[in-house]
Amino acid sequence: MKRYKILLMLIDAILINLAFFLALWLRLEFEIPPNFWTAYKNSILIIPLIQVAVFILFKIYNILWQYTSTKELIQLGIAVLIGSLGCLGFGVMTGHLLPRSVYIIYLLIILIFMAGSRISIRILYRLLKHDEFSLKMLFNKETDVHKRRIMIIGAGEASSVLIKELQKEFNSTNDVVLAVDDDTRKHHSSIHGVPVRGTIEDIPTLVTKWLIDEIIIAIPSASRKRISQILKICNTTNCKLKIAPPLTKAVEASLGIKNIRPVNIEDLLGREEIDLDATGVANYLKDNIILVTGGGGSIGSELCRQIMCFSPKKLIIFDIYENNAYDLQNELLQRGISPLSLEVIIGSVRDAAKLRQVIEKYTPNIIFHAAAHKHVPLMEANPEEAVKNNVFGTLNTALLAKELKVKKFILISTDKAVNPTNVMGATKRICEMIIQSLSKEPSDTEFAAVRFGNVLGSNGSVIPLFKRQLEAGGPLTVTHAEIIRYFMTIPEAARLILQAMSFAKGGEIFVLDMGEPVKILDLAKNFIKLSGLSVGKDIEIKITGLRPGEKLYEELLMDEEGLQKTGCDKIFVAHPLDLSFEELNKQLDLLLHSIYDKETLKACIGSIVPTYKMPLASTEKSKPYDTAM
């Protein structure tokens, strides 16, 4: 960098003398008299020293001129003006004064020379930066060796702001070398010197040709589905992937490295934001008392966060696990929620007496029942716990809701309740049956259930497992190469639950549109790639075999249920089944009396849920995933 500054000073000194000579020559009409020639020769060293000293004072040589903008050129112009005045002052003090018009002409010429030289550096840098040799490497070889070559996807306003900010980073390790855009009219143009070449489909080829290390997506207008499509193309490369936030007034002035985030699994899903009917939901939540069982869990806690946005009179978080409930309480209070509108109660849905005490004391208008055991293998090994917590916990809460005239009761269910092959899914199907049968009884309570698939990042889900396995150095474990699951994000699931609640009239099972199913093996591969690692090279994937009760694919609907549309295109309602609570209750009594005999218990579950298929033990052996597959 020092060599670069010294060279620039020498070039400036030559241009300053040349400008002064031309000013004198032009003013005197191409003939310089001896007295003026002597005055010029006496100033030939001092004038460049004065001008360069002013440049140093104004830190002109600290500017990276390859990123010249209007601001830097104005700074340069002020320095040139003050330097010219200094040269005039030198002439007055030493008696080597030239005609004043010479200094005016000099000022104009030196402005052209200085601005032109700086802009030339920028142009030359842009021309050479994509070749094998870079201008900067001539002066600072160490700087460019470790630079990340970046491709920007998009050639619009967001890309322009982003590129400009990245280029301003002093001593940055970022080198934006290319932009791509599907608008062919932008091809062969440039943004702040960065060439625009090719479409998004050309990315794999361009990555190889331009030696790209990192790709940043900067298309704020793109839908999530389109972002997902773009990411699938980018995932065929070995580049690190990042995404810029939407360009809004809030970030327009500060869009830079700190605003760019790594691509995550949610981006790959490509699920669009849900437009919540806020008015319909607010009619039930605002100024009402809401009870959320399992309020400290993944879904329960997000429900609580979103419920508080609708200004309920009071939110009651009911959970057996005090740590999660405590963390959520602190989080909500830190957001400015009034302590008077929040109550945290530690208790179990198995404890009917405690539940009665809570419901009688606070008289909730709506209960969201999210408390449940959900871990398939653990519940397969401990079926009595699944029955006690899921079945009888739901029965306790629902019967008390009916008795104490709670207006709405919403059960959080799962796609594993459809044709279940495991105890957890079968117990959740019994919970749905309890809700549907109670809705047939005379009641002031509207009972409904919301059924959906896996949520990313929830406790016990595959993503936290992958994270822990990755941190431990691998391998990532997948139970079967062909296993598929439906996924949605936790906030999306919570929004749809609230929306379904506003539709509920009694007896419905709402089914959420889960989008396209995802292969868990593909999820594992993408997770490794998004972490900047290579499958098989850095991290292995191991096929472990299906666990007890696990099936290759999940279903959202039973054959006899059918579907009807609702007011939201992401929510459907299954046809209610004709169930008698009296008959179901007799079966539940038998279930309760067989609770500590596993085989009898499972047989009893099968008699209640005809679609429950007791699983056979998996014979598939654990094996590494063949990366050549």
Side-chain angles (χ1 to χ4, degrees):
M1 201 66 183
K2 289 182 179 179
R3 285 178 289 172
Y4 170 78
K5 289 182 180 180
I6 292 170
L7 180 59
L8 200 54
M9 289 178 190
L10 291 174
I11 293 172
D12 284 350
I14 294 169
L15 291 176
I16 290 164
N17 271 321
L18 178 60
F20 207 75
F21 172 78
L22 288 174
L24 187 61
W25 189 53
L26 291 172
R27 168 62 183 81
L28 299 174
E29 299 180 353
F30 315 117
E31 290 187 12
I32 303 176
N35 58 322
F36 288 138
W37 183 251
T38 301
Y40 169 72
K41 286 193 293 183
N42 290 335
S43 307
I44 200 168
L45 292 177
I46 302 301
I47 288 176
L49 284 176
I50 293 171
Q51 192 71 71
V52 169
V54 173
F55 285 172
I56 293 172
L57 184 66
F58 276 75
K59 298 182 179 180
I60 298 299
Y61 297 110
N62 290 340
I63 297 172
L64 294 175
W65 291 102
Q66 56 267 41
Y67 307 133
T68 306
S69 66
T70 306
K71 180 181 176 182
E72 284 79 22
L73 291 176
I74 291 172
Q75 184 179 347
L76 177 64
I78 294 171
V80 168
L81 176 61
I82 293 175
S84 300
L85 292 174
C87 294
L88 176 62
F90 168 75
V92 171
M93 288 187 296
T94 60
H96 299 302
L97 186 64
L98 298 170
R100 287 181 176 81
S101 55
V102 170
Y103 295 97
I104 295 172
I105 297 171
Y106 162 75
L107 175 62
L108 297 175
I109 295 175
I110 196 60
L111 273 173
I112 294 170
F113 279 5
M114 292 296 103
S117 64
R118 268 58 182 183
I119 292 172
S120 296
I121 291 173
R122 177 187 173 112
I123 294 171
L124 187 59
Y125 178 80
R126 297 302 177 199
L127 289 174
L128 296 179
K129 72 180 290 187
H130 309 300
D131 294 337
E132 185 177 356
F133 300 102
S134 164
L135 182 65
K136 287 202 295 183
M137 288 181 70
L138 297 174
F139 304 110
N140 194 355
K141 294 181 180 180
E142 295 82 5
T143 303
D144 273 8
V145 170
H146 302 294
K147 280 189 173 292
R148 291 193 303 271
R149 294 174 64 83
I150 297 174
M151 171 193 288
I152 303 291
I153 299 179
E157 184 181 358
S159 300
S160 175
V161 173
L162 179 60
I163 291 169
K164 191 173 182 180
E165 289 301 312
L166 288 171
Q167 289 174 339
K168 281 183 180 178
E169 294 286 332
F170 185 71
N171 282 339
S172 171
T173 58
N174 302 307
D175 190 13
V176 184
V177 299
L178 184 67
V180 299
D181 199 288
D182 281 341
D183 187 348
T184 55
R185 293 172 298 179
K186 296 179 181 179
H187 294 179
H188 304 292
S189 62
S190 64
I191 305 173
H192 302 298
V194 175
V196 181
R197 301 284 187 272
T199 66
I200 290 168
E201 295 293 332
D202 299 324
I203 286 174
T205 303
L206 293 170
V207 163
T208 303
K209 181 178 179 181
W210 291 75
L211 305 176
I212 302 297
D213 302 306
E214 186 174 300
I215 299 173
I216 301 176
I217 301 174
I219 317 176
S221 60
S223 66
R224 294 195 175 194
K225 184 175 181 180
R226 181 57 179 152
I227 293 293
S228 175
Q229 292 168 346
I230 293 170
L231 288 173
K232 286 175 183 175
I233 294 172
C234 295
N235 255 343
T236 62
T237 72
N238 290 321
C239 295
K240 191 172 184 179
L241 305 179
K242 292 185 178 180
I243 190 166
L247 186 66
T248 63
K249 290 182 180 179
V251 300
E252 187 172 355
S254 61
L255 186 60
I257 293 175
K258 64 180 180 297
N259 301 106
I260 302 168
R261 64 169 175 81
V263 169
N264 55 39
I265 291 293
E266 287 85 347
D267 295 316
L268 287 169
L269 280 182
R271 296 184 63 85
E272 299 294 341
E273 281 288 332
I274 302 300
D275 293 325
L276 193 66
D277 176 12
T279 303
V281 174
N283 288 337
Y284 290 97
L285 299 182
K286 185 176 174 59
D287 297 326
N288 278 327
I289 300 170
I290 314 299
L291 168 63
V292 181
T293 68
S298 304
I299 293 294
S301 62
E302 183 61 26
L303 271 173
C304 292
R305 294 183 189 99
Q306 295 193 24
I307 287 168
M308 291 309 295
C309 295
F310 291 92
S311 304
K313 182 178 180 181
K314 187 179 285 289
L315 171 65
I316 304 153
I317 301 170
F318 187 88
D319 204 295
I320 189 63
Y321 185 49
E322 72 275 18
N323 290 346
N324 283 351
Y326 175 73
D327 290 342
L328 179 61
Q329 179 185 38
N330 285 338
E331 177 191 329
L332 293 175
L333 292 175
Q334 286 172 1
R335 282 169 46 179
I337 302 300
S338 169
L340 297 176
S341 64
L342 184 64
E343 200 72 44
V344 176
I345 298 173
I346 303 304
S348 171
V349 291
R350 300 180 185 185
D351 187 345
K354 179 65 177 280
L355 273 172
R356 176 180 291 277
Q357 183 187 60
V358 171
I359 296 174
E360 285 181 340
K361 178 178 179 180
Y362 295 102
T363 62
N365 303 95
I366 301 173
I367 295 177
F368 290 95
H369 183 55
H373 285 323
K374 305 180 184 74
H375 199 285
V376 171
L378 286 180
M379 293 306 100
E380 207 63 27
N382 301 274
E384 68 283 359
E385 296 304 313
V387 169
K388 285 190 287 185
N389 199 63
N390 295 358
V391 175
F392 291 106
T394 297
L395 184 65
N396 288 339
T397 315
L399 287 175
L400 283 167
K402 179 188 174 186
E403 179 188 340
L404 300 173
K405 303 184 186 307
V406 175
K407 186 173 183 180
K408 281 182 182 282
F409 182 98
I410 307 298
L411 168 72
I412 312 305
S413 190
T414 170
D415 59 357
K416 293 178 176 61
V418 180
N419 300 324
T421 59
N422 53 69
V423 168
M424 193 283 282
T427 57
K428 292 300 282 185
R429 175 57 193 150
I430 297 173
C431 294
E432 291 181 350
M433 294 169 71
I434 291 170
I435 297 309
Q436 287 193 309
S437 61
L438 279 174
S439 70
K440 302 288 185 182
E441 300 280 304
S443 173
D444 293 320
T445 305
E446 295 171 348
F447 291 97
V450 183
R451 182 193 292 164
F452 54 92
N454 296 271
V455 285
L456 286 173
S458 64
N459 295 331
S461 72
V462 69
I463 297 303
L465 174 63
F466 283 168
K467 284 181 180 178
R468 292 192 296 271
Q469 290 175 337
L470 195 69
E471 289 168 359
L476 267 59
T477 56
V478 176
T479 58
H480 195 286
E482 299 301 322
I483 193 168
I484 61 172
R485 289 292 181 267
Y486 292 97
F487 285 100
M488 67 167 50
T489 64
I490 295 175
E492 181 185 9
R495 280 194 291 272
L496 288 173
I497 291 167
L498 294 179
Q499 188 71 79
M501 176 273 301
S502 70
F503 295 153
K505 300 301 178 187
E508 303 98 335
I509 293 182
F510 292 99
V511 179
L512 306 187
D513 177 5
M514 297 298 298
E516 296 297 320
V518 177
K519 287 182 71 171
I520 302 300
L521 182 58
D522 290 341
L523 199 65
K525 291 179 188 176
N526 288 327
F527 191 83
I528 292 171
K529 287 183 178 180
L530 291 179
S531 302
L533 303 170
S534 298
V535 179
K537 182 179 178 182
D538 302 310
I539 297 290
E540 297 287 344
I541 296 176
K542 188 177 182 181
I543 306 298
T544 59
L546 288 174
R547 299 172 296 183
E550 190 172 36
K551 52 185 179 179
L552 284 177
Y553 61 93
E554 301 291 359
E555 305 158 89
L556 290 167
L557 197 68
M558 295 189 295
D559 293 336
E560 65 271 23
E561 287 181 316
L563 278 184
Q564 291 177 339
K565 292 183 178 180
T566 66
C568 175
D569 60 3
K570 294 284 187 180
I571 303 175
F572 301 89
V573 60
H575 295 304
L577 301 181
D578 190 15
L579 297 170
S580 164
F581 179 71
E582 185 179 353
E583 291 298 320
L584 178 62
N585 205 26
K586 291 177 183 177
Q587 293 176 303
L588 294 179
D589 282 338
L590 293 174
L591 187 68
L592 181 61
H593 287 95
S594 62
I595 203 162
Y596 291 110
D597 184 336
K598 287 187 180 181
E599 295 308 314
T600 305
L601 181 63
K602 289 185 178 182
C604 192
I605 291 172
S607 68
I608 300 173
V609 184
T611 55
Y612 170 52
K613 299 173 183 177
M614 293 178 63
L616 298 173
S618 175
T619 57
E620 185 173 354
K621 294 181 179 179
S622 174
K623 59 182 179 180
Y625 169 67
D626 185 358
T627 55
M629 289 173 65

